[in-house]
Every structure is written in C-alpha cells, then in structure tokens.
Amino acid sequence: NAGVTQTPKFRVLKTGQSMTLLCAQDMNHEYMYWYRQDPGMGLRLIHYSVGEGTTAKGEVPDGYNVSRLKKQNFLLGLESAAPSQTSVYFCASSRRPGQAWDHPQHFGDGTRLSIL
Amino acid sequence: AQKITQTQPGMFVQEKEAVTLDCTYDTSDPSYGLFWYKQPSSGEMIFLIYQGSYDQQNATEGRYSLNFQKARKSANLVISASQLGDSAMYFCAMREGLDSSYKLIFGSGTRLLVRP
C-alpha cells in the first residue's frame, strides 16, 4: 500500500548543483502537487499538474522546474540550487476534486533538502 | 491578507482532556472545503477531517470534530480525550472551488503537546 513515494528522503547539495526529486503515486490520481515547508510556515505550492503532460506554476515557482511525462510520476528539478531552497519538500496527489469534493490530498513523507 | 490563520503557535493539553485548535479563513468563494492535517515529529502529513462549505452539520471522525462557524469563518478542530500520540503539528488548510488547481492553502500550524 505505497500511496505517494518520494525519492530521495534526504539530500545535501552545494550551491549551484542541480538535482531532481521524484514523486510516484500508485492511486491513479489526476492531480499532483509539489509543496515546500519552511520553519514556522505552512506548506506553500511550488508547481502542480492536473494531468499527464500538463504543469502549472504555484505560489513560489522561481528556481524550480517540473515535468509530468507519466500520470504516476511528477518530477521537481532544481537547476542551480541556492541556500534559499533549503527546505522540506512534499509531493501530494488527489483525484479530480469534481468527482469527490471532499477527497483529500495524499502526501508523501517529504524530502529534506539542504543547500550549503 | 492571509487566507488561513492559525493564531496558536503552540498549545499544551493534559492527557485525556479535550483541546480546541483554532482556524479562521478568508475567502469570497461560496464553495470551499476545509481540511485538517496532522504532522507528527516523523514528518508525514496525515489527513484528519474535512468540512465542506455547504455541509449543514459539523464533521466528526472518531475523536476529531470540527466546530464550523460559517458566519465567523472559523473551522476549529476539537480533539477529545487527548492521547500522548496526539502530540504533533496540526495544519488547517482550505481548497477553493473557483481555483482550478484545487490546491490547498495552509495555515502556519499549531504545535500541540500532550502532557501525561
């Protein structure tokens, strides 16, 4: 019963390095999201996708790119990491809310990313 | 203006007592949903309870209930008979019907500590 799986769980990068965070869901959900969580703040939306091949910007998209080539996967990329991107990153997925308005987003366990 | 406000950064409660975590929201959308999530120290986000804007009755899920006061735009979480395992961060979140992303907007959270 995997649900939403994030890879890796922890990572330390140097400023300027690049990396990709992988999110995989096995619930056949249409919608997928990437959030970041900083100390003292709630989660903020980076990018989201409403279906395979589609992506859109959220509240804090600068410095990130995403891709959704397959319905079950949503990738978050950092092209040139900066210390301000040190955060915990959460991926989430949900059914199309029109089908079940009360359907919650299901979250992965998070990726703790430190940029030195 | 913040859309979700949680004014209690931290709270204590004695084991077996009830506790109320406050959440106020701001939206002009007539159709919206309110969610509460629990984040234990291990970091995952656990969905607790949902309240829809058109729901006539307050939501309940086991020991969790939602005190929904639409006119006051508040959706407080009530935890009855607190247990040590309830110690965690609690986030209130809102989904707006007119927002096609159906993203969740989070408050800054309340850290609850249950005393034995």
Side-chain angles (χ1 to χ4, degrees), chain A residues 31 33 35 37 40-45 48 50 58-59 88 90 94-98 100-110 112, chain B residues 31-33 35 37 39 41-47 50 52-53 89 91 95-109:
Chain A
Y31 284 54
Y33 306 84
Y35 295 90
Q37 182 180 26
M41 303 180 72
L43 279 67
R44 293 182 294 167
L45 183 66
Y48 66 97
V50 301
E59 180 186 0
V88 180
F90 284 96
S94 74
R95 296 203 299 254
R96 184 180 299 123
W101 181 243
D102 61 343
H103 184 71
Q105 290 184 9
H106 295 262
F107 285 82
D109 289 343
R112 189 172 297 275
Chain B
S31 179
Y32 54 88
F35 299 79
Y37 282 83
Q39 186 179 42
S41 58
S42 50
E44 69 270 30
M45 296 289 287
I46 302 168
F47 165 69
Y50 165 84
S53 59
M89 281 289 289
F91 290 98
R95 170 191 282 160
E96 295 175 299
L98 292 177
D99 182 350
S100 61
S101 76
Y102 293 112
K103 67 177 179 289
L104 290 176
I105 303 167
F106 285 85
S108 56

Side-chain angles (χ1 to χ4, degrees), chain B:
Chain B
Q2 286 193 352
K3 292 213 168 190
I4 296 288
T5 303
Q6 295 181 253
T7 58
Q8 306 153 314
M11 289 191 68
F12 291 95
V13 65
Q14 205 66 33
E15 192 179 9
K16 300 181 183 178
E17 292 185 349
V19 63
T20 297
L21 307 183
D22 295 341
C23 174
T24 58
Y25 59 92
D26 182 25
T27 182
S28 57
D29 194 333
S31 179
Y32 54 88
L34 297 157
F35 299 79
W36 277 91
Y37 282 83
K38 173 183 178 181
Q39 186 179 42
S41 58
S42 50
E44 69 270 30
M45 296 289 287
I46 302 168
F47 165 69
L48 295 178
I49 195 167
Y50 165 84
Q51 180 81 44
S53 59
Y54 296 117
D55 292 344
Q56 296 297 313
Q57 295 190 344
N58 288 341
T60 61
E61 288 287 349
R63 294 186 299 111
Y64 304 109
S65 61
L66 209 152
N67 183 2
F68 181 48
Q69 298 188 47
K70 195 170 182 177
R72 294 186 176 183
K73 292 190 174 180
S74 72
N76 299 337
L77 177 70
V78 180
I79 305 174
S80 63
S82 296
Q83 301 173 356
L84 296 178
D86 294 335
S87 293
M89 281 289 289
Y90 289 82
F91 290 98
C92 179
M94 177 172 64
R95 170 191 282 160
E96 295 175 299
L98 292 177
D99 182 350
S100 61
S101 76
Y102 293 112
K103 67 177 179 289
L104 290 176
I105 303 167
F106 285 85
S108 56
T110 295
R111 183 173 298 280
L112 177 67
L113 184 61
V114 180
R115 291 170 165 157

Side-chain angles (χ1 to χ4, degrees), chain A residues 15-92:
Chain A
T15 298
Q17 287 185 319
S18 64
M19 79 161 296
T20 300
L21 280 64
L22 172 63
C23 176
Q25 53 96 2
D26 62 2
M27 296 173 283
N28 200 35
H29 284 168
E30 297 281 350
Y31 284 54
M32 295 188 75
Y33 306 84
W34 276 107
Y35 295 90
R36 60 178 287 173
Q37 182 180 26
D38 299 303
M41 303 180 72
L43 279 67
R44 293 182 294 167
L45 183 66
I46 305 171
H47 286 280
Y48 66 97
S49 168
V50 301
E52 181 178 324
T54 72
T55 62
K57 294 180 180 180
E59 180 186 0
V60 288
D62 293 343
Y64 305 95
N65 56 74
V66 288
S67 64
R68 184 117 180 254
L69 299 179
K70 294 183 179 180
K71 185 177 184 178
Q72 63 268 33
N73 294 338
F74 195 28
L75 278 63
L76 177 70
L78 286 73
E79 290 186 346
S80 179
S84 61
Q85 294 177 303
T86 294
S87 189
V88 180
Y89 292 84
F90 284 96
C91 176

